[in-house]
Amino acid sequence: KTITGVPVSIYQYASFLMQKLKLSIEERIMLRMLSYADEFCAEEADLLGLQNDDDDGSDFVTQMVDKLYPLPASSASKMFFSFLQLHPIAVDISLELSSEVRNQYMSEGGAVFNPLKWLKNAAGTAIDIDEAPIRLKSLTIEDAYGNTSTLLVPIKKHYLSQVLREAYKVLGSLEILGNPVQLVNNLGSGVFDFFYEPAKGLVSSPQDFGRGLARGTTSLLKHTVTGVFGAASKVTGKLAEGIAVLGMDEEFQRQSRMNARRPPRHIGEGVIEGGKSVAMGVFRGVTGIVLDPYHGYRLQGWKGLLKGIGTGVVGVGLKPAAGSIQAASKLLQGIGNTATCCDTTFENDRARYPRYIGQDRVLRPYNPLDAMMAAQLRLHEIQDLSLSKEEKKGETYLRMFCSLNGNLIISNLRILMLSSKHHPTSFSRYRKPPPAVFKLLWEDVKGFEHIANTIVIQSKEQKPKQFKLPNEHEAIECKRQLDKMHPILSQRRRGKIGAAVSGVVKKLNINIFESD
């Protein structure tokens, strides 16, 4: 204690160490968390029968806790550190914005078309940050004495000055600029290896000097190619994403974003992925002239029709342009990754499929089979153009049947049969979804029949599909369940325009939506 009787805690040595941290901030996840919090608070208020200005009793609880468990004042005790050490802090910060989810969370009513919001969403794609390397230096204080607030003053001052010095790296990590910080780091690493490896070998022997020169030259070339072409691909990729946002087609934006998350491993994959991007852009632009007004009228009437005409006309030029620029980005990315395609790298992989939550929105114990089947529905996208993006997004997994031919997956929109030879255990392990034996929309199903242990699905447009179950009893039960769902799920009828366009696409066998 001091002369005045204030207690003092004495520490000979105190150290704080934090391992390197990667902080990824996704606007999509943050907005959904906020939406969940708002929904939870609203439900709690409804259960308590509270109005907007009613007190829910939280202030009273807070006062009682403070009264029963008072926190000691910062000046009530002192601390003395003979040696206080705070180790360096390394944080890589990434930021990804999502105009699609932002529009859903902060929907604005009123006009059919809002030019300011349109341009703001396109500009928002340029703010994405890719692993900004923030490095805060260590701090050492000897004979530190005082209360908590006194000791925190030099620590706050130190880290504030360090953050201000590192702020330029955040601006230099913008993807629209090509992430120049990462480019400089790549070039610096290559130049360092080019001089360090030969010098290291020269100390040992002439043979080691030759090997070091080879390793240094290889590292210089590898880092140069990866850095330069990687930076160029980031710029073109962000331009393509911004143009896709201007096209005002959320489904096209989603597909472009998913394609951008699967980088080509080498130049060959870059050429293939680039060709698919061009094809998808042209296809979406041409079909959008008809489908955007059609889907808009079905969902919002004449207001949706006018909006659909506008998005269809705008998308004719913007979607092919976005696809072409994304193709250039894929090609550049493929060239850059060719230099490191043979390197052994550790890739994070999912331990399990995302949890499946049913239509009743009740959170139940994790079921790996339901989670896997629901994930397969997302991997096998519906290609029928008569369905709007809202209908496709609202597809819900209902149940599945294990047959001798494979797994029969039932959703509220279709019937999907997957081969039993493909049983993936990880959601992200396969670059392409396992093949489907057959798939049928419920509205195309005419009826069901069973012969012994075989179920036959009669289709209105295709040949009958059949699959076998282990025994006749299971076949009878399966037919009973399918007959029960058929009249309810087959009520939706396609419009003539959408059905006609979809029929033409099926006859031409256009299949650009599935990517490797």
Side-chain angles (χ1 to χ4, degrees), residues 84-187:
L84 176 62
Q85 183 179 23
L86 304 179
H87 291 272
I89 297 177
V91 182
D92 292 341
I93 301 177
S94 299
L95 173 65
E96 181 179 350
L97 303 181
S98 175
S99 60
E100 177 185 354
V101 180
R102 191 188 316 128
N103 292 339
Q104 297 174 2
Y105 183 74
M106 297 181 288
S107 57
E108 300 176 7
V112 175
F113 173 66
N114 189 339
L116 183 61
K117 179 181 175 182
W118 184 49
L119 295 174
K120 182 174 65 176
N121 289 336
T125 59
I127 310 178
D128 286 3
I129 299 172
D130 182 26
E131 295 188 358
I134 305 300
R135 303 293 182 261
L136 307 181
K137 295 182 179 180
S138 62
L139 174 64
T140 301
I141 304 177
E142 296 183 3
D143 299 331
Y145 172 74
N147 54 30
T148 305
S149 58
T150 304
L151 294 173
L152 286 177
V153 170
I155 297 176
K156 291 179 180 178
K157 184 178 179 180
H158 169 75
Y159 284 119
L160 179 60
S161 63
Q162 290 294 310
V163 169
L164 292 178
R165 290 181 180 180
E166 296 289 302
Y168 75 94
K169 293 183 179 180
V170 177
L171 181 63
S173 298
L174 291 174
E175 291 195 355
I176 189 63
L177 301 179
N179 199 337
V181 171
Q182 193 176 73
L183 173 61
V184 172
N185 289 338
N186 279 327
L187 295 178

Side-chain angles (χ1 to χ4, degrees), residues 384 461 494 497-509:
D384 196 293
E461 299 181 357
R494 281 182 288 185
I497 299 177
V501 176
S502 179
V504 172
V505 173
K506 289 178 181 178
K507 290 180 180 179
L508 294 175
N509 195 23

Side-chain angles (χ1 to χ4, degrees), residues 216-446:
T217 305
T218 302
S219 177
L220 177 61
L221 293 175
K222 183 186 298 185
H223 283 89
T224 302
V225 171
T226 302
V228 173
F229 285 95
S233 69
K234 291 181 187 297
V235 175
T236 52
K238 282 294 135 184
L239 288 176
E241 187 175 341
I243 295 176
V245 172
L246 293 177
M248 295 180 292
D249 187 343
E250 294 181 359
E251 183 68 16
F252 180 70
Q253 295 175 37
R254 187 188 66 82
Q255 290 184 351
S256 299
R257 186 171 62 250
M258 293 300 294
N259 290 337
R261 289 182 177 179
R262 295 192 294 266
R265 291 172 292 185
H266 47 75
I267 187 172
E269 285 191 1
V271 173
I272 296 174
E273 294 292 334
K276 290 183 177 180
S277 298
V278 173
M280 185 180 71
V282 174
F283 179 76
R284 285 287 186 181
V286 174
T287 57
I289 300 176
V290 178
L291 294 179
D292 284 2
Y294 166 69
H295 290 150
Y297 180 76
R298 285 186 54 197
L299 295 174
Q300 298 179 333
W302 291 105
K303 179 181 176 180
L305 176 64
L306 295 176
K307 181 179 178 180
I309 293 174
T311 57
V313 172
V314 171
V316 172
L318 291 179
K319 292 177 185 177
S324 301
I325 297 177
Q326 191 176 53
S329 176
K330 289 288 185 181
L331 181 59
L332 292 171
Q333 202 170 17
I335 296 174
N337 292 341
T338 301
T340 58
C341 65
C342 297
D343 295 349
T344 56
T345 58
F346 174 79
E347 296 183 1
N348 292 326
D349 200 4
R350 271 190 176 272
R352 68 182 194 183
Y353 283 94
R355 179 186 296 274
Y356 166 70
I357 299 177
Q359 289 180 304
D360 54 5
R361 314 306 296 169
V362 175
L363 189 63
R364 295 183 173 86
Y366 181 79
N367 187 318
L369 184 60
D370 287 342
M372 184 175 70
M373 294 301 107
Q376 295 305 318
L377 284 177
R378 290 190 290 270
L379 290 173
H380 288 269
E381 297 181 359
I382 300 178
Q383 301 177 21
D384 196 293
L385 298 177
S386 66
L387 293 171
S388 65
K389 55 180 178 292
E390 287 80 9
E391 290 174 310
K392 295 178 182 178
K393 191 180 299 183
E395 184 179 23
T396 305
Y397 165 75
L398 298 179
R399 64 165 304 170
M400 61 86 62
F401 296 96
C402 293
S403 70
L404 301 180
N405 304 82
N407 296 320
L408 187 73
I409 306 176
I410 308 297
S411 76
N412 61 329
L413 296 179
R414 56 176 167 162
I415 300 174
L416 176 66
M417 171 66 78
L418 296 181
S419 173
S420 58
K421 297 180 181 179
H422 298 271
H423 289 286
T425 57
S426 171
F427 183 74
S428 58
R429 183 169 297 174
Y430 291 88
R431 295 179 63 84
K432 62 182 300 184
V437 179
F438 65 82
K439 40 193 170 183
L440 284 172
L441 293 177
W442 272 105
E443 59 199 42
D444 292 333
V445 176
K446 190 175 182 180

